[in-house]
Amino acid sequence: MKGIFALVAVLMVLGGAPGKGRAETLADALIGAYTHSGLLDQNRALLRAADEDVARAVSALRPIISWSAAIENGSVYGRSTLTPTITDRNSTNLLLGLNAEILLYDGGSSKLAVEAAKETLLATRYNLVAIEQDVFLRTVSAFFTVISAAEFVALRQNNVRLISEQLRAAQDRFEVGEVTRTDVAQAESRLAAGRSGLAVAQGDYFIAVEEYKNVVGRAPGNLVAPGRLPSIPGNIDSAKNQAVRGHPFMLQVQREVAAAELNILRAKSDIRPRITLDGRIASDDKLGSSNFGQSASVGLRMNQVIYGGGALSASVRQAIAFRDAARGNLHRVRHDLQQNVGNAVARLAVARAALESSEQQIVAARIAFDGIREEAALGARTTLDVLDAEQELLDAQATRISAQAQQYIAAYAVLSSIGTLTADGLNLAVQRYDPAAYYDLVKDAPTASSRQGKQLDKVLKSLGKE
């Protein structure tokens, strides 16, 4: 048993003792999570990748200029009309070419691709907001779990102290013959159980600290709970309406439906002809000779699939199926959000009721415990009666600790369910990640040598990505 307590003591030192260190508010923890989260960094990078999809789609509407070079070695065979001999001449040619191509018409497919990429980009932005909510809700849970775990440790320590006093009192009364050996054994049994409960509470605290470190990026200080619950909608119907109108998941799937609609039009436009303007400048230099040739050409090219084995029609039907799936997902998300709001509000009501009940239970249990202890001192109660009363008071206090933490977590879960558990919604004093800043630099598909391209290099370096 001593080995177990030694291990727990080490864990407490590593994790930080409850109630010690710098004062830290919930806002501090949320700011830490916002700047520390690898999950947010991952999805911010995915958003930048979606920005580049728009740039790639825009580039399809721009001229394409390329060069080519080749060295060819060949033989020329011929028969002279004046002699029956055959001539065989080897030659090495250097071929250089400069090609240019610009799309004039493709049925609107490329422009539709740009619009579809923009809709997908907006969906990715809303997904980032939804992930931000998940990070913040996990942070709230970690914050209050550390607080409640520390309170459990203090409660269990006090419980061990009280039972130790009861054991000493029982031993003293046993020595003078007021109680039997059974009373002493009962106190010893409860003390062993109390120490076991303390070890569990200390282990839970260490686990809570590790979760906090993972989410926030540092060990918790002296966590200070907010003075009041966050403001939430007055009734469940307004909360559900707010979720359906503005939750990031809802906005995300709406954009996904819009992108799917555009992809149907893209698939249909692929049936139309494609017209490009082509230009070419070429040179043919025979190495080792003075022969040199140049050519230049400009022309219109038109092509259209007349028969493709049914692939184009299949693409249209597939795009329609994807659109129908997106619509079905929109329907599902709407109902899931409404259910999530109802569940969150119900959990908050349960936590509030449990907190009120535990307060009343603590008052009654404390009165009973004090009374039974006085009666035991007069010989009217047994040691077991005192231990049972003390256990009831402990259980009531533990229920209050859990209910307090669950009330806060449930309140912030309501905010998450309606879509306002964000840096903006919470008005956090933190430098916001601007999803439009990178997009504004890449939306016109700049080249690496352009002024915007050089600005992008600086942005990527500031992000530590190069």
Side-chain angles (χ1 to χ4, degrees):
M1 180 64 71
K2 291 182 179 180
I4 295 176
F5 280 110
L7 175 61
V8 172
V10 171
L11 297 181
M12 294 287 286
V13 170
L14 293 175
K20 295 182 180 181
R22 67 189 183 283
E24 188 170 342
T25 65
L26 177 59
D28 294 330
L30 293 171
I31 291 172
Y34 187 82
T35 56
H36 164 76
S37 173
L39 184 60
L40 285 177
D41 284 343
Q42 173 192 0
N43 284 274
R44 288 165 184 164
L46 292 176
L47 177 58
R48 294 194 296 272
D51 292 338
E52 298 293 355
D53 283 338
V54 176
R56 287 165 59 88
V58 169
S59 68
L61 299 170
R62 304 269 181 82
I64 299 175
I65 303 175
S66 62
W67 64 269
S68 61
I71 297 178
E72 294 183 353
N73 185 280
S75 299
V76 178
Y77 296 91
R79 182 186 296 272
S80 172
T81 58
L82 301 178
T83 176
T85 61
I86 299 176
T87 60
D88 182 357
R89 298 193 307 274
N90 292 324
S91 65
T92 301
N93 297 350
L94 174 62
L95 306 177
L96 299 175
L98 182 63
N99 307 301
E101 176 184 320
I102 185 170
L103 176 68
L104 299 180
Y105 176 78
D106 66 350
S109 177
S110 295
K111 292 182 178 179
L112 289 169
V114 173
E115 297 304 315
K118 289 179 178 179
E119 294 295 336
T120 302
L121 164 64
L122 292 175
T124 308
R125 284 188 187 179
Y126 289 123
N127 182 63
L128 177 61
V129 177
I131 291 171
E132 181 180 314
Q133 287 208 140
D134 291 342
V135 170
F136 281 163
L137 187 58
R138 184 178 175 185
T139 304
V140 170
S141 178
F143 182 89
F144 288 104
T145 299
V146 170
I147 291 178
S148 61
E151 291 178 350
F152 274 124
V153 170
L155 181 64
R156 290 294 181 178
Q157 287 173 337
N158 187 57
N159 173 246
V160 169
R161 181 183 60 80
L162 289 175
I163 296 177
S164 297
E165 292 176 357
Q166 293 296 326
L167 175 58
R168 285 193 296 269
Q171 290 172 337
D172 292 341
R173 295 175 66 188
F174 172 71
E175 290 177 357
V176 298
E178 293 182 3
V179 297
T180 66
R181 178 60 187 169
T182 301
D183 295 278
V184 176
Q186 289 172 337
E188 290 174 339
S189 174
R190 288 296 177 90
L191 180 58
R195 287 173 175 168
S196 175
L198 174 59
V200 171
Q202 290 172 328
D204 289 341
Y205 174 77
F206 175 72
I207 293 171
V209 167
E210 290 302 310
E211 169 69 2
Y212 189 94
K213 289 179 181 178
N214 185 12
V215 176
V216 181
R218 60 176 181 270
N222 181 23
L223 304 187
V224 181
R228 56 186 177 85
L229 296 176
S231 177
I232 60 177
N235 61 73
I236 190 171
D237 290 332
S238 63
K240 288 182 177 180
N241 291 334
Q242 186 173 348
V244 170
R245 290 194 308 268
H247 196 283
F249 276 150
M250 193 69 182
L251 300 176
Q252 176 187 349
V253 295
Q254 287 173 346
R255 294 297 182 177
E256 289 172 351
V257 170
E261 295 280 4
L262 291 168
N263 285 331
I264 294 176
L265 299 178
R266 283 186 62 197
K268 291 180 178 179
S269 68
D270 289 340
I271 301 174
R272 298 170 186 153
R274 176 184 175 90
I275 303 174
T276 59
L277 177 63
D278 300 328
R280 176 178 173 82
I281 299 176
S283 69
D284 184 355
D285 183 12
K286 292 184 179 181
L287 299 180
S289 72
S290 59
N291 294 333
F292 180 82
Q294 260 188 341
S295 64
S297 64
V298 176
L300 286 175
R301 181 183 300 173
M302 177 183 296
N303 66 290
Q304 182 179 13
V305 177
I306 298 175
Y307 175 73
L312 294 177
S313 298
S315 296
V316 173
R317 293 192 300 270
Q318 184 183 57
I320 293 173
F322 283 139
R323 188 273 316 275
D324 294 342
R327 286 179 175 177
N329 188 43
L330 177 63
H331 178 78
R332 179 189 65 81
V333 168
R334 178 186 294 110
H335 288 281
D336 284 349
L337 289 175
Q338 291 174 333
Q339 179 185 357
N340 291 341
V341 171
N343 292 345
V345 171
R347 292 189 184 99
L348 177 58
V350 169
R352 284 173 170 169
L355 182 58
E356 293 177 2
S357 176
S358 65
E359 294 285 359
Q360 297 172 358
Q361 185 181 1
I362 287 174
V363 172
R366 180 171 286 113
I367 293 173
F369 174 66
D370 292 340
I372 292 174
R373 187 166 53 178
E374 291 296 329
E375 292 172 2
L378 298 175
R381 291 282 188 169
T382 66
T383 301
L384 181 60
D385 293 330
V386 177
L387 294 173
D388 287 342
E390 198 270 338
Q391 184 64 45
E392 288 185 9
L393 177 59
L394 175 70
D395 292 342
Q397 291 170 331
T399 300
R400 179 178 62 181
I401 292 172
S402 295
Q404 286 174 332
Q406 290 304 315
Q407 180 180 230
Y408 276 103
I409 295 172
Y412 283 96
V414 172
L415 296 184
S416 177
S417 71
I418 63 178
T420 59
L421 189 62
T422 63
D424 289 333
L426 298 174
N427 196 26
L428 289 182
V430 64
Q431 181 66 40
R432 307 286 200 278
Y433 179 84
D434 184 4
Y438 188 85
Y439 172 75
D440 290 339
L441 292 175
V442 303
K443 63 182 179 181
D444 296 325
T447 61
S449 59
S450 67
R451 183 175 61 85
Q452 279 182 291
K454 293 178 180 178
Q455 287 180 335
L456 277 171
D457 290 339
K458 294 180 181 178
V459 170
L460 290 174
K461 289 179 180 179
S462 68
L463 293 172
K465 308 305 179 186
E466 280 196 349

